[in-house]
Amino acid sequence: MKKLFVLIISALLVFTLSACNKNNSKSNTVSVAELATKENAMLTTTSDKSFVFDFNVDSEYKDVSVWIEKYESGKLVDDKISHITSQIEENGSIIFALPKTNESTKQLTFNIGISSNSSTDSISGFDSNSNGLDKMSSVWGNIQEGNTSIEGETVLASICYSNDKSGMSSLSSDFYKDVDGHMNALKKYDVVYLLKAEFIR
């Protein structure tokens, strides 16, 4: 499965990096990648949920760290699921994917890939305490279209699970703009996974 993930990431990054070079994005920002039909098809075929982001940074930024935090009823229970740090140069992409659920293992697998300057680093991580999530409703979301500043830790995406039968909605756009000021929003879900990134000088 990991080999398949690396192959898909490599194919996706050929497309997204070439698009980055044509894009006049602001420096020191991250944004949702615009994927071609073929790229979307590859991710849909292999993943249950996926997110792709492009970044543009000044030469003073040397690395990016990406990881997943897990919250239960608003409380942080794991602060570094699938943590990866990779060297970067000016622009690149971050890919996050949850493979289609394996009924035999009942644990979530998280795949993260970072590509910049013709090299790709990837990692697969697991949440061994994810029993029961397959019986919950889920919603997901990410930063809005446009450029988001990379100052400090940035929440790129979220996946939220709840047993609430009356319906649920994803985290608001205000959450991504001011995470610290909207952390109480996590309390309305049983489990939340936040995909976070930090660009390092």
Side-chain angles (χ1 to χ4, degrees):
M1 182 58 117
K2 184 165 181 172
K3 287 182 183 177
L4 177 62
F5 177 65
V6 171
L7 285 173
I8 289 170
I9 283 182
S10 300
L12 285 170
L13 292 172
V14 168
F15 292 109
T16 54
L17 286 176
S18 63
C20 271
N21 292 333
K22 297 174 189 173
N23 192 358
N24 292 328
S25 297
K26 290 183 181 177
S27 202
N28 299 332
T29 58
V30 60
S31 59
V32 175
E34 294 181 22
L35 301 181
T37 304
K38 189 174 185 179
E39 296 169 310
N40 273 319
M42 285 191 286
L43 283 172
T44 302
T45 301
T46 58
S47 305
D48 183 32
K49 298 173 184 69
S50 61
F51 306 92
V52 183
F53 306 93
D54 292 332
F55 59 83
N56 277 284
V57 297
D58 291 338
S59 57
E60 64 190 43
Y61 286 94
K62 306 299 183 189
D63 300 282
V64 62
S65 289
V66 182
W67 68 95
I68 299 158
E69 292 180 352
K70 180 182 180 181
Y71 294 79
E72 292 180 355
S73 301
K75 294 182 179 177
L76 180 65
V77 295
D78 195 337
D79 64 349
K80 289 280 186 296
I81 300 174
S82 289
H83 181 262
I84 182 172
T85 299
S86 180
Q87 291 184 339
I88 56 173
E89 282 189 30
E90 296 185 355
N91 58 50
S93 297
I94 297 169
I95 297 174
F96 172 69
L98 270 75
K100 293 190 180 290
T101 307
N102 182 342
E103 291 299 321
S104 62
T105 62
K106 297 287 186 188
Q107 64 182 6
L108 285 184
T109 302
F110 300 96
N111 293 323
I112 299 173
I114 301 170
S115 179
S116 183
N117 193 33
S118 302
S119 67
T120 302
D121 293 325
S122 63
I123 189 170
S124 291
F126 307 92
D127 180 8
S128 55
N129 296 316
S130 56
N131 264 348
L133 291 183
D134 56 328
K135 296 176 177 63
M136 295 185 191
S137 299
S138 65
V139 292
W140 53 95
N142 51 250
I143 55 175
Q144 300 303 301
E145 299 290 335
N147 299 304
T148 299
S149 171
I150 61 167
E151 285 301 315
E153 293 182 4
T154 304
V155 174
L156 298 176
S158 64
I159 303 173
C160 308
Y161 294 86
S162 176
N163 274 316
D164 189 350
K165 304 300 181 194
S166 61
M168 59 190 291
S169 58
S170 57
L171 291 167
S172 70
S173 58
D174 290 338
F175 176 84
Y176 296 98
K177 293 174 187 171
D178 178 16
V179 175
D180 291 339
H182 291 84
M183 286 301 285
N184 279 342
L186 302 185
K187 291 181 179 178
K188 61 184 180 180
Y189 307 101
D190 291 287
V191 177
V192 175
Y193 295 97
L194 297 181
L195 174 66
K196 300 183 79 173
E198 183 176 18
F199 291 83
I200 304 161
R201 291 180 172 92

